[in-house]
Amino acid sequence: RTAHVAGACLYVVCRQEGKPYMLIDFSDCLQTNVYVLGAVFLQLCRLLRLEQHPILQRPVDPSLFIHRFADRLEFGRKMHGVANTALRLVASMKR
């Protein structure tokens, strides 16, 4: 249980700092179900009264994850071009 709380706390900080980590990354590291960790995260947010905090109200910016996932797709030398195209697409959707 302590590891779940620590993981949820780290996830809150990552959201606040705009770091490219998802809750499932922490659940993988802790070898626990993402829904269990998500429930702990929500309980922590209620306990700390973070429900209305801006970091939890706005959605996570998908551009944070583009380079990470483009790298995993193994495009080789084309990876940066693919990632930049994806970033432009995301930027156009935000308008």
Side-chain angles (χ1 to χ4, degrees), residues 18-71:
K19 300 294 181 190
Y21 295 100
M22 297 182 292
L23 194 60
I24 197 165
D25 297 321
F26 292 97
S27 72
D28 287 346
C29 183
L30 296 171
Q31 298 180 346
T32 190
N33 186 299
V34 69
Y35 294 106
V36 171
L37 190 56
V40 172
F41 168 71
L42 292 174
Q43 289 172 356
L44 179 68
C45 289
R46 280 192 292 276
L47 179 70
L48 298 176
R49 297 192 171 113
L50 295 175
E51 298 100 330
Q52 301 304 316
H53 195 282
I55 64 165
L56 299 177
Q57 289 298 309
R58 66 179 184 262
V60 175
D61 183 0
S63 62
L64 292 173
F65 304 100
I66 288 177
H67 279 93
R68 174 180 170 189
F69 291 122
D71 187 49

